[in-house]
Amino acid sequence: MKPARSRFAPSPTGYLHVGGIRTALFAWLVARRSGGQFILRIEDTDRARHVAEAEQHIIKSLRALGLAFDEGPDIGGPFGPYRQSDRLDIYKTWAERLIQAGRAYADPYSPEQVEAFRKAAQAAKKPFLFREHRPAEPKPWDGTTPLRFLSEPKAHRWHDEVMGDLHTGPEVVDDFILIKSDGYPTYNFAHIVDDAEMHITHVIRGIEFVSSTPNFMNLYEALNLPVPIIASMPPILGPSGTKKLSKRDGAKDVLDYLRDGYLPDAFLSFIASLGWNDGTEQEIFTREDLIQKFSLARVHRAGARFDEKRLAWTNGIFIRQLPLDELFVTVQDFWPDEAKDAGDDYKRRVLALVQDRLKFAKELPELTRFFFTDLPVNPTLWQEHTQLKKLSSDELKTLLLQSRESLAASDFGLDDLTTRLNALLEQTQQKPAVLFSLIRIATTQAPFSPGLADTLAVLGKQVSLRRIDAMLATM
RNA sequence: GGCCCCGUCGUCUAGUGGUCCAGGACGUCAGGUUCUCAUCCUGAAGAUCAGGGGUUCGACUCCCCUCGGGGUCACCA
């Protein structure tokens, strides 16, 4: 496999959402898989939509997900600069070549005039084609008007790694703008120049560019440039299943998922599974699996819906597979406030008990709070418990007293606790559903918790007895 | 409207003419794992393969039409 040079070329207009990340991931995979380079290029030629902080935010997001780039605006590289606004003179040079070759001309119309042409075409239910209004003898371009490409309408055929073999007729080829009247190039022109100068081999981008690809082919020809490998990604859909996932549907900033405690690798595995699989029944992919098995040709052509439930499941799998020490590090910022004075050893023991229950790190506080603080006694917990509510208050109190007595003699080692709990079942002739529930509620005051013996062992003797006493006092 | 693309369980998907009265996973439901929650295990429901025509001995797979959805037709990317 030849080393590929792929790039991710976002427009800095806001944060990165799942669709953008998937495109970045696939481009990254193509590069890593082939031992090539992954390049970040900032396409900031639209001054109106430009958001100052967006570039840093995008870089941060990419790094946070472990999608490191080898060349980019902040780290440079052999073919920089990697920000289009810093490359204006380069586009001018290439534009000059086109002008010399008679393949570019000054647009003589005002925006209003062009708009009128467009309206007329629309009214006639015809596609708008600028070249139908091409001036017979254009004036020399002075840089104050748009510079247009002089296209040579013809049919185009090309291969898209994802979409397959595509072809269109000459009717879609038009004289698009190369350089805008503000001196900035359009995407259509700039990306082709940049990809050539940066020796990009794989152009991986959203499906919205498929219809303009014939125009790009026309430009490649005019510039005598080889056409890179092209791959168009289908959209990630919102809940409706028809529209692209939008902010309204909760297309969150990917950093938000990380803030909620989703693991980068889990997130990547899930995102990759949206439209891609390796043809086997494997559902979960590690980063290494992905690098090893990914191929553009196996990307589904249809759009895929974003399913948060499946994301949560995926994340749960990764959390459970993580060695405790690694999980401990990744959740360090998610502990409840009450845990701030707790020791690492204690926290580690708590974490071991909830590892199976964690879907994402942000759930940690609700799952573990009672390990760090005495929750207020909550009578509804046993008064409305399906098993416990069958017993009278006195019966419950007696049972709890008996339990306290036995636990008071325990060393609170797991073995001893297990033995005692079992003996208590014998002694009281109660089902675990009754006795264990009672002790569990008394010692946690929480609606749910890990296994009883485990919980008691971690809580320790002093805390456990104190909580039992607190409950007894209310009965 | 023109051009292009897409259409398999609720969801993500396997499937490239026969091994598919369509397989896996998520989700849902039921049962089991000494208590709750979760994990784990078992099982169930769930897709007339968008619809209709062909081609073929045989079509989810090939062709045509229809329907539905999407993209595009910007001095946005």
Side-chain angles (χ1 to χ4, degrees):
Chain A
M1 198 178 323
K2 280 208 199 97
R5 283 178 60 83
S6 67
R7 42 63 162 190
F8 179 52
S11 180
T13 55
Y15 59 73
L16 231 42
H17 54 268
V18 289
I21 274 297
R22 190 181 57 171
T23 304
L25 168 65
F26 288 176
W28 182 82
L29 252 15
V30 164
R32 286 291 165 272
R33 186 175 159 68
S34 67
Q37 293 84 37
F38 176 55
I39 290 116
L40 173 66
R41 185 173 70 223
I42 298 296
E43 310 222 320
D44 58 345
T45 55
D46 183 349
R47 294 179 305 164
R49 294 203 310 152
H50 186 259
V51 176
E53 319 78 60
E55 180 181 316
Q56 273 315 307
H57 198 88
I58 288 167
I59 290 175
K60 193 175 166 192
S61 301
L62 253 18
R63 296 230 166 95
L65 283 168
L67 301 180
F69 43 87
D70 307 296
E71 298 167 29
D74 61 335
I75 56 173
F79 306 104
Y82 293 89
R83 189 152 38 222
Q84 290 184 328
S85 59
D86 294 334
R87 303 172 59 82
L88 264 25
D89 48 336
I90 297 176
Y91 307 122
K92 287 269 160 55
T93 307
W94 283 74
E96 205 53 49
R97 278 185 222 170
L98 251 11
I99 295 171
Q100 294 306 321
R103 295 301 303 274
Y105 62 93
D107 179 342
Y109 304 108
S110 70
E112 293 72 27
Q113 284 174 298
V114 177
E115 185 55 27
F117 295 151
R118 195 191 327 281
K119 284 268 166 57
Q122 225 168 59
K125 299 208 170 201
K126 281 170 55 186
F128 170 59
L129 240 29
F130 185 92
R131 63 176 153 83
E132 290 176 349
H133 306 278
R134 192 142 80 191
E137 279 178 43
K139 290 199 207 88
W141 184 58
D142 62 2
T144 63
T145 64
L147 179 70
R148 286 200 183 250
F149 175 54
L150 190 134
S151 63
E152 283 178 352
K154 52 174 274 194
H156 285 281
R157 291 181 170 279
W158 72 100
H159 180 75
D160 184 303
E161 285 295 302
V162 172
M163 303 309 291
D165 291 322
L166 268 18
H167 54 88
T168 52
E171 70 281 356
V172 301
V173 177
D174 198 16
D175 292 2
F176 58 90
I177 291 178
L178 266 8
I179 308 250
K180 299 180 267 185
S181 56
D182 65 3
Y184 282 71
T186 56
Y187 167 85
N188 302 155
F189 182 46
H191 91 272
I192 286 179
V193 168
D194 291 341
D195 286 343
E197 293 231 340
M198 296 178 182
H199 303 283
I200 298 300
T201 60
H202 289 67
V203 171
I204 299 165
R205 86 239 291 192
I207 192 142
E208 63 271 25
F209 293 107
V210 168
S211 356
S212 20
T213 302
N215 281 306
F216 302 155
M217 309 296 276
N218 218 268
L219 221 205
Y220 283 122
E221 284 180 13
L223 255 15
N224 211 333
L225 251 24
V227 181
I229 293 169
I230 294 172
S232 303
M233 310 305 308
I236 291 183
L237 275 15
S240 70
T242 59
K243 296 280 182 246
K244 204 158 90 175
L245 186 70
S246 67
K247 292 191 182 177
R248 209 192 137 80
D249 306 315
K252 291 196 279 187
D253 180 345
V254 291
L255 282 180
D256 283 340
Y257 287 99
L258 268 18
R259 288 189 199 104
D260 284 349
Y262 283 94
L263 268 22
D265 286 28
F267 195 75
L268 260 25
S269 175
F270 170 72
I271 290 295
S273 79
L274 251 32
W276 176 85
N277 71 80
D278 71 342
T280 71
E281 288 181 353
Q282 184 169 350
E283 305 281 348
I284 298 289
F285 296 88
T286 63
R287 198 175 285 258
E288 280 309 310
D289 284 338
L290 252 21
I291 292 173
Q292 213 173 89
K293 298 172 176 177
F294 182 76
S295 82
L296 288 169
R298 283 200 62 88
V299 174
H300 210 94
R301 291 182 197 174
R305 251 179 271 200
F306 184 81
D307 180 7
E308 296 249 10
K309 290 230 174 90
R310 198 176 163 89
L311 204 213
W313 169 76
T314 306
N315 202 55
I317 302 258
F318 275 84
I319 284 182
R320 271 170 252 128
Q321 283 176 350
L322 223 49
L324 187 63
D325 284 335
E326 279 181 47
L327 182 61
F328 187 69
V329 173
T330 68
V331 303
Q332 58 184 344
D333 296 331
F334 293 91
W335 291 102
D337 294 341
E338 294 84 347
K340 65 176 184 299
D341 296 326
D344 279 359
D345 280 349
Y346 184 75
K347 288 202 276 196
R348 219 180 293 263
R349 291 179 73 193
V350 171
L351 187 61
L353 294 189
V354 299
Q355 183 166 14
D356 283 353
R357 285 148 241 262
L358 221 46
K359 284 266 192 292
F360 49 97
K362 208 181 182 181
E363 293 179 330
L364 201 54
E366 63 165 311
L367 254 33
T368 64
R369 186 164 279 116
F370 65 86
F371 279 109
F372 303 101
T373 185
D374 290 3
L375 261 25
V377 175
N378 179 3
T380 59
L381 247 27
W382 67 87
Q383 286 167 358
E384 284 170 21
H385 186 102
T386 43
Q387 299 292 326
L388 298 183
K389 72 181 177 189
K390 293 176 189 161
L391 289 127
S392 73
S393 175
D394 279 349
E395 287 172 309
L396 290 176
K397 193 167 180 177
T398 308
L399 276 174
L400 198 49
L401 243 14
Q402 270 182 283
S403 307
R404 190 202 189 282
E405 194 182 333
S406 171
L407 291 174
S410 172
D411 63 5
F412 269 65
L414 194 54
D415 290 345
D416 185 61
L417 283 167
T418 307
T419 311
R420 280 176 188 281
L421 254 14
N422 283 331
L424 231 25
L425 285 176
E426 285 284 314
Q427 192 186 329
T428 61
Q429 286 299 299
Q430 287 291 348
K431 290 186 298 188
V434 171
L435 187 73
F436 288 3
S437 293
L438 182 64
I439 301 173
R440 198 185 62 74
I441 287 169
T443 51
T444 66
Q445 296 296 336
F448 48 81
S449 62
L452 184 54
D454 285 325
T455 301
L456 292 176
V458 169
L459 248 17
K461 188 166 184 171
Q462 195 195 344
V463 172
S464 299
L465 295 182
R466 181 174 76 215
R467 291 183 185 178
I468 291 176
D469 290 339
M471 177 159 151
L472 281 166
T474 70
M475 301 176 83

